Amino acid sequence: MPPLQQAQRSRHGIGTKLRRVAVFVALVFLAVAYVRARERQLAEQNRLGERAQDNAATIARSLDAVMLQAQILLQSVAYVVNPLAAPESNDAVLQSLFAKTPKGTFANLYVVDTLGRNIGAGVVPVGGRKTINLLKRAYFQAALRSKRFTVGTPVPSQTLAGAPWVVPFILPVVDSTTGRIVALTGASMRVDSLDAVRIARRLPPLSVLTVLDSTGMVLIRTLDANNWIGKMFPNYPQRAVNLQPLGSDTVVPSDIDRIDRLFGTDSVRRVRWRVYVGIPISEVFGPSRRQFIQDMLLGLILSASVVLIGYWLTERFVAPIESLTLDARAISAGDMTRRSTLNSDDEVGTLARAFNQMADDIVERNTELATSQEHLRQVQKLEALGTFAGGIAHDFNNYLSSIIGHADLAMEELDVNSTARLELASMLTSAHRAADLTKQILVFSRRQVVTPIDIDVNATLRSMQRLLVRLLGENIAFRTEFASRLGSVHIDQGQFEQIIVNLTANARDAMPRGGRFVLRTSRCTVDGIDFIRIDAEDSGDGVPPELRTRIFEPFFTKKDRSHGTGLGLSIVHGILGAAGGSVEVDERHTDGARFTVLLPEGPPVEAPAPVAGLVPPQGHAERILLVDDDAGVLLVAERLLRRGGYQVETAPDGAHALQQLAQASFDLLISDVVMPGLSGPQLVQEAMNRHGAMRVLFISGYPDDDLLPYEVASMHAGFLGKPFTRDSLLRKVREMLEAPVA
């Protein structure tokens, strides 16, 4: 083979394609890894940012609480001291009160006159009370002017060893008669004892708490406090506007130490203070960045592994296949002695041996063909027959596509013993099973036209188990206990399933945190009559005694509208009453609730005997107006009715239907229930108001109104659930047409 053709085959060969696929998959995997890693990083950063903001809010609330505590303490001091008494007398009172304050929290309690002179103190300074005069202190003057509780700028303590920073508080004592200030009670609290400072010091290293007043003066700072308390924050007037909206995702370089920090901020409510909590971004984002790098490395490793696996698969499987391809090309070129030399135990080796066997068979057949011309003609006939059969098979596959789509109609045209009918019956059986499953799922709170039949209770409950498990959810354990050899009950199949579903839903709502639910069947005798008993038992909170007489009342419910209508148990009670049964709450069961259903027992259900196909009743050219907003249903129902011998006109909605009713008369109105604009019941009500009584048949696969059965009954209408068969539709239409107009 020329080198150019080999190069082209190499570029378009399966090996190259596999390697490209491996590289593409690796790139996609790497991109997904990057996106996931980035999402995790951003989520972690947002969480930590919210933590910084939460810290600021917590510290601000702590400072508010401290000020409230100090204000209450000073109000208590004002009641126990006497500004007119000797300072020593006030000293004794304050020393006793100071001893009862939390140790290490307050630095001093004192009383001063309106000139700032000390007239009593819990701790007298070493130099005597004359060494302290508050007259020139800004917070003292502010308290005199406002006559309110005032917080001062932190100052070094004059009563504690080491002169730690303390926050002064002062409260004027106002004479109730004259309204004049007669004295001022004061206290000082150690900055280090504040819960706000303690919270800040539990943050990562180099985290900082800064508290500023409205002018930008530093009141509290956990880093380098001695150099900054009492001084103006750098550039605060210019940056105040920018600092106000700091949030949980704001990174700001400090004007003091130039360290980038993630800041949270909040305001102290009792004074015009602003709290800033900054956590170094190296501490905040470091773990998330390291995790991001680890995730990306893992993604790179996995992507590289995908590429390596792709190349290994290429070498492991593609090379033998290419060798086998060369052998096939040689045989096709006429070299009948060429055989594959591959000898492995895998699928490729099996293929090589099959290839060699095929080559041997070809040689053998060619030899036989060469020895007999007659044999050659027979082979040619077989080849022609094979070609013809292939064409028929192609057309037959096209016919099958059409036959499947019209299976229901085709069933009526086939002989009862036709093998094709069995295949179609199997297809329709699967469709009916799907319809039964849909019917079970949509049985919630639905009432249908009552058609009592003898049903096997155990068999019906077993068929509903999958639905009930899904209804209960994963956190509720479901168990069944069925008695053997039970008889039948005479009740509508759909209504029986509705009873079980309503009781199951009621049990589920009673166990929001999970539990267990048991369905149990048994036989009992009451007043000489045999009943089949069904117990629905849950492990919820049970039914309070005062509610047991009301739970079966219509619309009575303890749940809001979004969780129930209050009709569930009342519908169960009504259905069972009409069927000659009953339902009650078992008062003897105290571990949760147990609802007991009793239905008269009949003879066991026997397997139905095979019935020859019955021809559905045909129409006599009666006029029918068919209304449905689904074009597919409208088309198939129209075709079925026309084939059944009826004259049919269609309308896509209620408005068009009213127009057609005004122009012509119809023997039967068939309407969907749920439609845009006018619903089915609204359409029928309006039509009856305009044209009087008429025959009505509702069709629906999802009646979403609990009151629909009552509306159907009040209009004397029929009801046919979707999906329906040709037989069920034609029989129901015939039944409605033969009934008198109500």
Side-chain angles (χ1 to χ4, degrees), residues 322-332 335 338-342 355-356:
E322 288 181 346
S323 174
L324 196 58
T325 301
L326 293 176
D327 295 335
R329 287 180 179 274
I331 292 178
S332 65
D335 185 3
R338 184 71 174 263
R339 297 293 184 271
S340 175
T341 59
L342 297 176
F355 173 80
N356 291 338

mmCIF file of all heavy atoms in Angstrom, residues 322-332 335 338-342 355-356:
data_model
loop_
_atom_site.group_PDB
_atom_site.id
_atom_site.type_symbol
_atom_site.label_atom_id
_atom_site.label_comp_id
_atom_site.label_asym_id
_atom_site.label_seq_id
_atom_site.Cartn_x
_atom_site.Cartn_y
_atom_site.Cartn_z
ATOM 1 N N GLU A 322 -6.240 -3.770 13.619
ATOM 2 C CA GLU A 322 -5.614 -3.322 12.375
ATOM 3 C C GLU A 322 -4.931 -4.487 11.656
ATOM 4 O O GLU A 322 -4.984 -4.605 10.424
ATOM 5 C CB GLU A 322 -4.611 -2.212 12.675
ATOM 6 C CG GLU A 322 -5.266 -0.885 13.068
ATOM 7 C CD GLU A 322 -4.229 0.184 13.331
ATOM 8 O OE1 GLU A 322 -3.035 -0.168 13.473
ATOM 9 O OE2 GLU A 322 -4.604 1.376 13.403
ATOM 10 N N SER A 323 -4.294 -5.370 12.443
ATOM 11 C CA SER A 323 -3.667 -6.553 11.841
ATOM 12 C C SER A 323 -4.719 -7.440 11.181
ATOM 13 O O SER A 323 -4.526 -7.953 10.066
ATOM 14 C CB SER A 323 -2.900 -7.342 12.907
ATOM 15 O OG SER A 323 -2.413 -8.556 12.378
ATOM 16 N N LEU A 324 -5.852 -7.607 11.863
ATOM 17 C CA LEU A 324 -6.922 -8.426 11.314
ATOM 18 C C LEU A 324 -7.503 -7.774 10.055
ATOM 19 O O LEU A 324 -7.884 -8.467 9.098
ATOM 20 C CB LEU A 324 -8.011 -8.600 12.378
ATOM 21 C CG LEU A 324 -9.037 -9.723 12.149
ATOM 22 C CD1 LEU A 324 -8.356 -11.066 12.021
ATOM 23 C CD2 LEU A 324 -10.050 -9.732 13.289
ATOM 24 N N THR A 325 -7.553 -6.442 10.024
ATOM 25 C CA THR A 325 -8.036 -5.726 8.839
ATOM 26 C C THR A 325 -7.136 -5.983 7.635
ATOM 27 O O THR A 325 -7.610 -6.182 6.501
ATOM 28 C CB THR A 325 -8.108 -4.226 9.145
ATOM 29 O OG1 THR A 325 -8.991 -4.008 10.261
ATOM 30 C CG2 THR A 325 -8.643 -3.452 7.947
ATOM 31 N N LEU A 326 -5.807 -5.978 7.856
ATOM 32 C CA LEU A 326 -4.864 -6.250 6.764
ATOM 33 C C LEU A 326 -5.058 -7.665 6.223
ATOM 34 O O LEU A 326 -5.002 -7.903 5.002
ATOM 35 C CB LEU A 326 -3.432 -6.051 7.250
ATOM 36 C CG LEU A 326 -3.034 -4.602 7.594
ATOM 37 C CD1 LEU A 326 -1.616 -4.570 8.162
ATOM 38 C CD2 LEU A 326 -3.129 -3.714 6.359
ATOM 39 N N ASP A 327 -5.304 -8.629 7.126
ATOM 40 C CA ASP A 327 -5.550 -10.000 6.677
ATOM 41 C C ASP A 327 -6.816 -10.074 5.832
ATOM 42 O O ASP A 327 -6.855 -10.765 4.794
ATOM 43 C CB ASP A 327 -5.672 -10.928 7.891
ATOM 44 C CG ASP A 327 -4.366 -11.023 8.673
ATOM 45 O OD1 ASP A 327 -3.299 -10.793 8.063
ATOM 46 O OD2 ASP A 327 -4.423 -11.318 9.884
ATOM 47 N N ALA A 328 -7.865 -9.360 6.242
ATOM 48 C CA ALA A 328 -9.114 -9.376 5.481
ATOM 49 C C ALA A 328 -8.922 -8.749 4.106
ATOM 50 O O ALA A 328 -9.460 -9.237 3.104
ATOM 51 C CB ALA A 328 -10.196 -8.630 6.254
ATOM 52 N N ARG A 329 -8.134 -7.653 4.046
ATOM 53 C CA ARG A 329 -7.875 -7.021 2.759
ATOM 54 C C ARG A 329 -7.107 -7.973 1.828
ATOM 55 O O ARG A 329 -7.359 -8.026 0.620
ATOM 56 C CB ARG A 329 -7.075 -5.730 2.970
ATOM 57 C CG ARG A 329 -7.903 -4.594 3.571
ATOM 58 C CD ARG A 329 -7.032 -3.340 3.740
ATOM 59 N NE ARG A 329 -7.815 -2.246 4.300
ATOM 60 C CZ ARG A 329 -8.552 -1.396 3.577
ATOM 61 N NH1 ARG A 329 -8.607 -1.539 2.258
ATOM 62 N NH2 ARG A 329 -9.223 -0.430 4.152
ATOM 63 N N ALA A 330 -6.187 -8.731 2.386
ATOM 64 C CA ALA A 330 -5.404 -9.663 1.570
ATOM 65 C C ALA A 330 -6.300 -10.758 0.997
ATOM 66 O O ALA A 330 -6.188 -11.133 -0.187
ATOM 67 C CB ALA A 330 -4.283 -10.267 2.401
ATOM 68 N N ILE A 331 -7.207 -11.283 1.825
ATOM 69 C CA ILE A 331 -8.112 -12.328 1.335
ATOM 70 C C ILE A 331 -9.041 -11.765 0.276
ATOM 71 O O ILE A 331 -9.317 -12.406 -0.751
ATOM 72 C CB ILE A 331 -8.891 -12.940 2.515
ATOM 73 C CG1 ILE A 331 -7.943 -13.724 3.420
ATOM 74 C CG2 ILE A 331 -10.011 -13.832 2.013
ATOM 75 C CD1 ILE A 331 -8.602 -14.321 4.630
ATOM 76 N N SER A 332 -9.565 -10.516 0.532
ATOM 77 C CA SER A 332 -10.452 -9.927 -0.459
ATOM 78 C C SER A 332 -9.732 -9.651 -1.772
ATOM 79 O O SER A 332 -10.362 -9.602 -2.832
ATOM 80 C CB SER A 332 -11.044 -8.627 0.094
ATOM 81 O OG SER A 332 -10.022 -7.651 0.284
ATOM 82 N N ASP A 335 -5.785 -13.498 -2.034
ATOM 83 C CA ASP A 335 -4.811 -14.354 -1.359
ATOM 84 C C ASP A 335 -5.550 -15.248 -0.376
ATOM 85 O O ASP A 335 -5.709 -14.917 0.801
ATOM 86 C CB ASP A 335 -3.768 -13.492 -0.648
ATOM 87 C CG ASP A 335 -2.654 -14.327 -0.026
ATOM 88 O OD1 ASP A 335 -2.675 -15.562 -0.206
ATOM 89 O OD2 ASP A 335 -1.783 -13.734 0.642
ATOM 90 N N ARG A 338 -3.945 -16.541 3.095
ATOM 91 C CA ARG A 338 -3.657 -15.625 4.201
ATOM 92 C C ARG A 338 -4.517 -15.988 5.413
ATOM 93 O O ARG A 338 -5.720 -16.213 5.304
ATOM 94 C CB ARG A 338 -3.939 -14.184 3.760
ATOM 95 C CG ARG A 338 -3.596 -13.113 4.783
ATOM 96 C CD ARG A 338 -2.078 -12.969 4.932
ATOM 97 N NE ARG A 338 -1.760 -11.843 5.795
ATOM 98 C CZ ARG A 338 -1.448 -10.623 5.334
ATOM 99 N NH1 ARG A 338 -1.418 -10.407 4.024
ATOM 100 N NH2 ARG A 338 -1.145 -9.665 6.170
ATOM 101 N N ARG A 339 -3.869 -16.084 6.589
ATOM 102 C CA ARG A 339 -4.562 -16.361 7.840
ATOM 103 C C ARG A 339 -4.037 -15.426 8.921
ATOM 104 O O ARG A 339 -2.892 -14.970 8.875
ATOM 105 C CB ARG A 339 -4.380 -17.819 8.278
ATOM 106 C CG ARG A 339 -4.961 -18.845 7.319
ATOM 107 C CD ARG A 339 -6.478 -18.755 7.269
ATOM 108 N NE ARG A 339 -7.042 -19.796 6.417
ATOM 109 C CZ ARG A 339 -7.248 -19.663 5.123
ATOM 110 N NH1 ARG A 339 -6.917 -18.516 4.518
ATOM 111 N NH2 ARG A 339 -7.783 -20.646 4.412
ATOM 112 N N SER A 340 -4.879 -15.144 9.919
ATOM 113 C CA SER A 340 -4.470 -14.298 11.035
ATOM 114 C C SER A 340 -3.596 -15.088 11.994
ATOM 115 O O SER A 340 -3.845 -16.270 12.272
ATOM 116 C CB SER A 340 -5.703 -13.762 11.784
ATOM 117 O OG SER A 340 -5.332 -13.040 12.936
ATOM 118 N N THR A 341 -2.531 -14.423 12.489
ATOM 119 C CA THR A 341 -1.609 -15.063 13.441
ATOM 120 C C THR A 341 -1.919 -14.705 14.886
ATOM 121 O O THR A 341 -1.152 -15.077 15.793
ATOM 122 C CB THR A 341 -0.168 -14.645 13.111
ATOM 123 O OG1 THR A 341 -0.061 -13.216 13.180
ATOM 124 C CG2 THR A 341 0.222 -15.119 11.715
ATOM 125 N N LEU A 342 -2.997 -13.946 15.139
ATOM 126 C CA LEU A 342 -3.352 -13.564 16.514
ATOM 127 C C LEU A 342 -3.814 -14.796 17.276
ATOM 128 O O LEU A 342 -4.575 -15.613 16.769
ATOM 129 C CB LEU A 342 -4.463 -12.515 16.505
ATOM 130 C CG LEU A 342 -4.126 -11.170 15.837
ATOM 131 C CD1 LEU A 342 -5.348 -10.269 15.817
ATOM 132 C CD2 LEU A 342 -2.983 -10.497 16.576
ATOM 133 N N PHE A 355 -12.435 -15.520 12.078
ATOM 134 C CA PHE A 355 -12.015 -15.053 10.752
ATOM 135 C C PHE A 355 -11.300 -16.165 9.984
ATOM 136 O O PHE A 355 -11.558 -16.398 8.794
ATOM 137 C CB PHE A 355 -11.097 -13.839 10.920
ATOM 138 C CG PHE A 355 -10.477 -13.365 9.647
ATOM 139 C CD1 PHE A 355 -11.171 -12.576 8.759
ATOM 140 C CD2 PHE A 355 -9.176 -13.743 9.318
ATOM 141 C CE1 PHE A 355 -10.595 -12.149 7.582
ATOM 142 C CE2 PHE A 355 -8.593 -13.321 8.144
ATOM 143 C CZ PHE A 355 -9.302 -12.525 7.270
ATOM 144 N N ASN A 356 -10.393 -16.858 10.662
ATOM 145 C CA ASN A 356 -9.687 -17.961 10.006
ATOM 146 C C ASN A 356 -10.651 -19.063 9.600
ATOM 147 O O ASN A 356 -10.527 -19.662 8.514
ATOM 148 C CB ASN A 356 -8.611 -18.520 10.931
ATOM 149 C CG ASN A 356 -7.469 -17.530 11.131
ATOM 150 O OD1 ASN A 356 -7.266 -16.625 10.314
ATOM 151 N ND2 ASN A 356 -6.716 -17.699 12.217
#
